[in-house]
Amino acid sequence: MKKKIKIGIPRAFLYYRNYILWKTFFEGLGCTLILSPLTNKNIIEDGKKLSVDEACLPSKIYLGHISQLVSKCDYILVPRICNYGRGNRVCMKFNGIYDVVRNLFPDISILDYNIDNLHFKFELTEFVRMGFKVNKNIGKIVYYYLLGKYKEKRQREIFSREQINTLKSNSLKVLIVAHPYVIYDNYLGNNIIKYFKENDIDILYADRLNRKEAVSYAEDFSKTLYFLYSKEIIGSVFCYKEAIDGIIFLSSFPCGPDSLVNELAIRLVDNVPMINIILDESSATSGLMTRLESFVDIIKARRKND
Amino acid sequence: MTKKISFPHLGYYYIVLEYFFSKATKCEVIVPPNTTKRTIALGAKYSPDFVCVPFKYNLGNYIEALEKGANVLIQAGGGCRYGYYAELEEKILKDLGYDFEFYNLISDNHVSLIKGYKFCKKMNRKINPFKCFYYFINAFLMVIFLDKIERYIRLNMGFEVHKGEFEKLEQEYFDSFKNNGIIKNICLYKEYKKKFKNIEINKDINHLKVMLVGELYSLIDTNSSCHIERKLIKMGIEVHRDTDLTYLMITKRFKLRRMIKRGKKYIKYHLGADASGSVVKSLESSKNGFDGILHLKSFGCTPEISAMSILSKISQKYGIPILYFSFDAEDNEVCVDTRLEAFYDMIKRKGRK
């Protein structure tokens, strides 16, 4: 029997955005996926050793995850994203992360795709190029890419429907504005989600809003914003503004786009309690919990007064 | 209300910007006061926590210009986060209670010439497009001439026989660049080039050569980087630096793809902003017998952080010393001096072997 190709996927960065697409695509082409373990202290320590000390926390986590995957699989998937067309750029970290990984781990073989619509590198063509490395059947590659896209869309629809149901409920609601790789991460955002769930507060996730809707809201909010991933999350603030009791801006230290976008949003939104939390490598959570507790007290008191 | 235009500082280019805007719009132009400790303190006070340093400098410049009476502000920087500064700066200044108009000449992360023309038209309704074009070309030439002279100065100033001659002539040259036409500018450039060449220099064959790479603001605006460049020059080092406005506006477009190809051992894709340039230039300078590389950036600069992890590999392979500097609002100049001196001693000892 032919041995299946093992593809390693680091559980960080775009994993939280594109995992369903990757899973459908690679499993359809007859590969097995190997996920890195959930983020833990060791991974962060590994990542810290590998990266420059000023690098942002998610990128350190990413490198830590990759170091977990080395020698466990044949290929590691490291996409490179540049832009999705005019006015839809992404953080520069995604432009350079491929080359950083290539230089830090010279022995591994990397599967990569490069989305750069301004230079005619589209997602489909790049997936075909990438898929060709593991399977020679072009028809299959295109089919599984489209299937993956469809499944991803379905999943997003389910999420946004859930979100709408949450909106209808009468309990306290809090919107968490954070990149998916921050909020869903086991080490970074999990404490916060757990805390709110313990206190019976409903959470709305900024990235689960329908993307088109979010982008159009974001474009109203800021005409010159060109970071696509920021648009997708910041739009929710203006969509849900009326319906929620509080907003949490969650960013990791020193996130480039967030430093500007969140500040502008905080200055523009009024009448909603807001808290700006910046996560860093220190694992002490007591300070964070105190801030969250006082925030919850405020929103509870506001609800009572109304 | 008379309109008084102002803009943030970027090295010595305020000469060109002042010329262009005062000619094209026929409005008064207020050059913000020189960047000092007060500027950065003001900027840092009102900026978000971990935004990169150019934002703080720009904000400080704006506040000082507004205090001097400016009421039209311009922002025109592109690349990485720089393109998105404008909106937040406007909001912060408005929240502080200043009354002004803000013009953002950037579209999709690049300086847009059409927006620039529209801005000039709004300031001066009687504008003549041909004249505007003429001023633009002249400003363009001024940038090129300034950069060429500066490049010569960087290479040779460390070896002057009589101390202070270069600086004196440089100041004279900057002062001469006011309200000239194209032809006079070309003549002046040729004249001063000769004058600079006539300054007596004493260059050793084994002189030390250092490459400066990194992020554009720290490199061009020497105020923000504690005047590292001049300090190196005064130690008697030949300083090479490619990043200036000529490179950013013109040559980068043509060179970038070839540069990435030349550095394909280390980079496959463009890293964003000037990071690919930093990598490739360091690679080439380590092959071409430079004694050391200085990497300057402002704190938290994302593309340069990507470049740094690659630079350390180059340093290991070619055995070239690289000194990293990261500038933030509170910089201790003494600390910078100490590190520079240690670096100088190190490359000097290494060079003798």
Side-chain angles (χ1 to χ4, degrees), chain B residues 139-153:
Chain B
F140 211 75
L141 285 175
M142 277 161 87
V143 169
I144 294 172
F145 293 157
L146 279 171
D147 285 345
K148 278 199 165 165
I149 292 281
E150 279 294 313
R151 204 163 282 190
Y152 182 79
I153 290 175

Side-chain angles (χ1 to χ4, degrees), chain A residues 4 7 16 18 23 73 88 96 121-122 128 137 146 165 176 220 226 228 252 273 279:
Chain A
K4 276 188 172 181
I7 291 171
Y16 297 100
N18 285 345
K23 188 178 154 76
C73 40
N88 287 328
K121 299 272 187 343
F122 300 103
V128 170
N137 189 342
L146 293 175
N165 287 339
I176 298 188
D220 286 348
Y226 51 77
L228 181 70
S252 54
L279 298 167

Side-chain angles (χ1 to χ4, degrees), chain A residues 21-282:
Chain A
L21 170 63
W22 293 345
K23 188 178 154 76
T24 328
F25 183 74
F26 287 116
E27 285 186 347
L29 297 184
C31 311
T32 41
L33 292 189
I34 295 179
L35 280 173
S36 57
L38 290 171
T39 314
N40 52 37
K41 244 192 170 156
N42 287 339
I43 288 181
I44 292 195
E45 287 301 318
D46 286 352
K48 260 200 229 168
K49 272 175 212 152
L50 284 165
S51 48
V52 184
D53 53 352
E54 273 172 42
C56 70
L57 187 52
S59 81
K60 285 177 185 172
I61 293 175
Y62 189 80
L63 293 176
H65 276 286
I66 286 183
S67 72
Q68 293 281 324
L69 288 169
V70 174
S71 76
K72 279 184 197 160
C73 40
D74 304 322
Y75 288 106
I76 292 179
L77 180 68
V78 182
R80 186 253 183 184
I81 319 286
C82 183
N83 57 55
Y84 293 86
R86 207 157 270 284
N88 287 328
R89 287 156 198 277
V90 297
C91 173
M92 293 280 160
K93 201 85 230 172
F94 296 104
N95 291 15
I97 196 77
Y98 169 80
D99 284 307
V100 172
V101 172
R102 206 168 65 116
N103 279 289
L104 288 177
F105 304 94
D107 317 321
I108 59 172
S109 37
I110 300 175
L111 269 186
D112 68 308
Y113 62 91
N114 168 26
I115 300 182
D116 188 351
N117 289 5
L118 291 181
H119 292 100
F120 309 106
K121 299 272 187 343
F122 300 103
E123 205 175 17
L124 173 61
T125 54
E126 288 294 302
F127 263 79
V128 170
R129 188 177 63 78
M130 178 176 68
F132 219 67
K133 277 187 191 168
V134 290
N135 195 326
K136 300 283 181 231
N137 189 342
I138 286 193
K140 239 180 172 179
I141 293 171
V142 175
Y143 171 72
Y144 282 108
Y145 167 75
L146 293 175
L147 186 71
K149 271 280 176 201
Y150 174 71
K151 277 190 178 171
E152 202 178 64
K153 207 179 158 197
R154 282 281 298 279
Q155 182 61 40
R156 293 194 54 78
E157 272 167 14
I158 292 168
F159 277 146
S160 59
R161 224 173 292 143
E162 269 176 22
Q163 198 102 295
I164 290 166
N165 287 339
T166 327
L167 267 180
K168 280 175 192 158
S169 77
N170 206 20
S171 54
L172 282 173
K173 288 179 289 283
V174 163
L175 172 69
I176 298 188
V177 183
H179 286 285
Y181 51 78
V182 175
I183 183 66
Y184 300 128
D185 193 277
N186 186 40
Y187 190 85
L188 298 180
N190 218 357
N191 288 331
I192 294 165
I193 296 179
K194 226 191 266 167
Y195 177 78
F196 282 116
K197 284 203 173 139
E198 277 166 13
N199 282 291
D200 290 327
I201 294 173
D202 282 341
I203 305 172
L204 296 166
Y205 298 96
D207 63 301
R208 288 191 179 172
L209 178 66
N210 185 308
R211 268 185 201 150
K212 269 184 193 159
E213 210 179 330
V215 168
S216 82
Y217 271 108
E219 275 162 3
D220 286 348
F221 144 71
S222 159
K223 286 193 184 62
T224 54
L225 180 57
Y226 51 77
F227 297 114
L228 181 70
Y229 296 164
S230 292
K231 275 189 208 175
E232 282 172 3
I233 60 169
I234 208 72
S236 64
V237 175
F238 299 90
C239 180
Y240 294 141
K241 207 164 65 177
E242 316 286 304
I244 46 178
D245 298 286
I247 305 175
I248 296 175
F249 290 98
L250 195 67
S251 55
S252 54
F253 185 79
C255 178
D258 278 2
S259 66
L260 297 165
V261 179
N262 285 1
E263 177 78 17
L264 192 57
I266 287 170
R267 279 168 185 273
L268 282 175
V269 178
D270 44 1
N271 234 341
V272 185
M274 281 174 290
I275 186 170
N276 189 11
I277 295 175
I278 293 152
L279 298 167
D280 57 14
E281 292 135 49
S282 68

